[in-house]
Amino acid sequence: MTETLHPKLQPQFDAVVARNPGESEFHQAVHELMVSLAPIAGKRPDYAQWSILKRMCEPERQLIFRVPWVTDTGEVQINRGYRVEFNSTLGPFKGGLRFHPTVNLSIIKFLGFEQVYKNALTGMPIGGGKGGSDFDPKGRSEQEVMRFCQSFMTELHRHIGEHTDVPAGDIGVGGRELGYLFGQFKRITNRYESGVLTGKGLTWGGSQVRTEATGYGTVFFAQEMLASRGESFDGRRVVVSGSGNVAIYAVEKVQELGGTVVAVSDSGGYVVDEAGIDLSLLKEVKERQRERLSAYADARGGAVRHVTDGAVWDVPCDVALPCATQNELQAEHARTLVAHGTGLVAEGANMPCTAEAVTILREAGVLYAPGKASNAGGVATSALEMQQNASRDSWSFEETQERLRQIMVDIHRQCLETAEEYGDPGNYVMGANLAGYIRVADAMVALGVV
Ligand code: NDP
């Protein structure tokens, strides 16, 4: 945590650390928000009077539960499930579920905390939350994944509902898992309540463009950033980390806009394909076969390099889109990007850049967008899915994509206007944090101490 806090905010941050020991990712997310609050620190007596910041740092509800299930060979497994319902001031708790062995309370709290301000930025009526489990779907059979999802939902169903809490996907939770989760919810409750989950399949209540939304939205946001400097994706060399849901559709949209994605990664390394990533092969390997990127390299023969040491950020590029996981782009990687002349970093993942990396990028004049703003297209389209479910309607791909694009343009504009208003033009971090924070804080003042 490189930037210092305003003296009025430091004691509040110290209190969060003392109250939530060992939760380093959560501390990091709170610190990043508090840095941006300096221009309003001490200037909003109503926020102080109602202890807004203190209440924002305490989730409304935190659920931790046992998830027992049985493997194909008859062994009983115990995982831990989480749902942190962070803030419902603007609407029902809304945020994804992550299934990954690294999941713990700190990670779910950082994600839930960020989600509150991200959701506020979209302008949609949604609060913030996040959940998941330390379950690792890798190497598990279809039946094992289904049994796990059913057991997870057997507990979670008590706490969710279209007016209460609406989960979606995240790392390790895609269309397959959401299907099993929705099926179990429907069975237990005897209700076809489409609005209880988003990211559903198109034949059972899903929305067009939801699968593509986070990746497309990140690229729409980056397109606006480039346009603010009179530039575009046309002819740009782009590196995307990850090769999951967000990364794949970021690659797709960059290529549609004339850029060339030369490298993507996964947890086993990265591939460099100078001709441009072959999108249909990437989808085949990662979406359908659920294979490693080494299979992509094997299929492309000698035309590509598969690298298992170093980082994907070693590949020179004009635009970098981190779309894998938190803290994957560190100080040394930021220095490499700066040395290679990268002009723009927009986060598709949540908090993929460390605080130190962000400082290095910003000091070097690299345009940098925090995920809270640039990856908000996923949750925004989830809110569009909820709208369609509520009106029992479904919109075309083109109409939904245009709504998503417009939302991203609007978030970009809000970030720049807010940064300008509070005296730091071009600071997307400050703009995103302050715009989201003020929207939630004003509503919390209006609703009283609840
Ligand atoms: P997926 O599970 O579909 O993909 C994650 C990708 O990141 C995979 O390629 C995975 O590799 C890779 N990865 C995960 N952990 C690591 C690691 N430690 N090192 C290197 N690579 C890693 O998840 P999503 O694409 O849905 O999510 C990616 C990011 O985007 C997350 O931060 C998520 O919170 C964020 N996000 C997602 C949204 C959504 O709508 N899905 C919305 C907003 C944000 P492998 O293939 O080997 O597992």
Side-chain angles (χ1 to χ4, degrees):
M1 293 166 204
T2 52
E3 290 191 69
T4 49
L5 287 174
H6 187 282
K8 282 201 176 345
L9 295 168
Q10 186 65 48
Q12 303 221 44
F13 178 69
D14 294 343
V16 170
V17 173
R19 200 169 159 74
N20 303 277
E23 297 180 358
S24 59
E25 292 85 0
F26 178 52
H27 303 161
Q28 187 182 340
V30 171
H31 192 273
E32 191 230 83
L33 181 95
M34 285 195 185
V35 167
S36 299
L37 300 185
I40 58 167
K43 295 189 185 139
R44 290 292 304 252
D46 52 340
Y47 290 179
Q49 182 195 347
W50 297 108
S51 290
I52 295 296
L53 188 54
K54 198 170 172 188
R55 281 195 279 147
M56 282 183 174
C57 292
E58 186 70 22
E60 287 182 33
R61 190 176 295 118
Q62 307 185 53
L63 305 160
I64 302 182
F65 50 95
R66 183 172 70 195
V67 189
W69 58 283
V70 181
T71 66
D72 290 344
T73 52
E75 274 171 69
V76 174
Q77 302 283 315
I78 306 293
N79 285 100
R80 191 170 285 175
Y82 300 87
R83 187 71 184 165
V84 173
E85 298 182 332
F86 226 109
N87 193 311
S88 63
T89 307
L90 300 182
F93 304 105
K94 182 87 198 87
L97 298 172
R98 176 177 292 191
F99 292 168
H100 194 271
T102 56
V103 162
N104 57 36
L105 186 60
S106 172
I107 298 219
I108 298 299
K109 280 171 73 176
F110 115 65
L111 290 164
F113 184 78
E114 292 243 301
Q115 195 82 47
V116 175
Y117 310 98
K118 178 191 306 191
N119 293 3
L121 273 177
T122 67
M124 326 282 277
I126 41 180
K130 200 83 186 186
S133 172
D134 57 359
F135 172 71
D136 188 357
K138 277 209 187 78
R140 291 294 174 192
S141 72
E142 197 73 28
Q143 287 76 12
E144 288 176 326
V145 170
M146 180 175 75
R147 283 197 291 277
F148 174 80
C149 290
Q150 290 174 338
S151 179
F152 185 86
M153 185 52 88
T154 300
E155 174 59 32
L156 188 70
H157 88 279
R158 305 173 212 283
H159 311 288
I160 61 176
E162 73 173 293
H163 300 296
T164 317
D165 183 352
V166 185
D170 191 78
I171 291 178
V173 179
R176 173 182 66 170
E177 291 75 17
L178 286 164
Y180 297 144
L181 290 164
F182 185 64
Q184 183 74 350
F185 179 87
K186 185 173 82 60
R187 183 173 188 202
I188 297 178
T189 59
N190 195 28
R191 286 161 67 90
Y192 204 106
E193 192 181 320
S194 300
V196 74
L197 288 176
T198 60
K200 299 181 295 296
L202 292 177
T203 52
W204 41 280
S207 169
Q208 295 283 357
V209 194
R210 177 59 190 90
T211 303
E212 297 84 356
T214 309
Y216 278 19
T218 302
V219 176
F220 286 142
F221 195 94
Q223 189 184 23
E224 289 302 296
M225 295 168 80
L226 287 168
S228 74
R229 289 196 171 171
E231 298 171 16
S232 76
F233 268 105
D234 202 19
R236 304 268 154 206
R237 248 178 98 85
V238 181
V239 166
V240 176
S241 66
S243 47
N245 172 262
V246 180
I248 287 174
Y249 293 95
V251 172
E252 183 163 286
K253 190 50 77 182
V254 166
Q255 293 187 343
E256 271 178 46
L257 295 176
T260 304
V261 179
V262 291
V264 292
S265 64
D266 66 9
S267 44
Y270 63 92
V271 289
V272 186
D273 194 338
E274 289 290 342
I277 293 294
D278 178 337
L279 188 64
S280 57
L281 178 60
L282 183 68
K283 286 184 178 176
E284 175 60 31
V285 169
K286 297 303 290 188
E287 284 189 328
R288 279 179 283 284
Q289 297 174 7
R290 297 176 187 273
E291 264 293 347
R292 320 315 320 259
L293 277 176
S294 50
Y296 176 99
D298 292 344
R300 292 276 287 127
V304 308
R305 275 191 300 134
H306 182 233
V307 185
T308 52
D309 55 356
V312 71
W313 313 119
D314 296 337
V315 181
C317 62
D318 303 313
V319 173
L321 303 177
C323 297
T325 193
Q326 66 275 355
N327 294 329
E328 53 156 320
L329 198 162
Q330 295 163 8
E332 78 221 61
H333 308 129
R335 283 188 206 101
T336 307
L337 291 174
V338 170
H340 286 159
T342 302
L344 187 152
V345 176
E347 296 183 341
N350 285 314
M351 212 167 71
C353 298
T354 63
E356 210 183 343
V358 173
T359 304
I360 292 166
L361 294 171
R362 297 204 60 245
E363 283 178 2
V366 176
L367 281 178
Y368 163 76
K372 213 177 262 134
S374 48
N375 74 28
V379 74
T381 309
S382 277
L384 298 179
E385 183 174 330
M386 290 162 75
Q387 274 185 31
Q388 292 169 80
N389 292 151
S391 58
R392 299 193 185 278
D393 195 2
S394 63
W395 310 329
S396 70
F397 190 94
E398 291 68 29
E399 179 182 352
T400 317
Q401 178 173 228
E402 182 47 28
R403 288 191 191 221
L404 164 65
R405 198 189 64 76
Q406 201 48 57
I407 290 168
M408 299 315 294
V409 169
D410 195 52
I411 295 174
H412 180 266
R413 183 188 48 72
Q414 275 185 72
C415 289
L416 286 190
E417 283 179 4
T418 310
E420 174 115 25
E421 183 183 343
Y422 288 95
D424 197 351
N427 185 341
Y428 286 93
V429 181
M430 178 194 269
N433 282 334
L434 270 175
Y437 179 85
I438 290 168
R439 182 153 192 253
V440 179
D442 286 349
M444 284 178 75
V445 169
L447 267 57
V449 179
V450 290

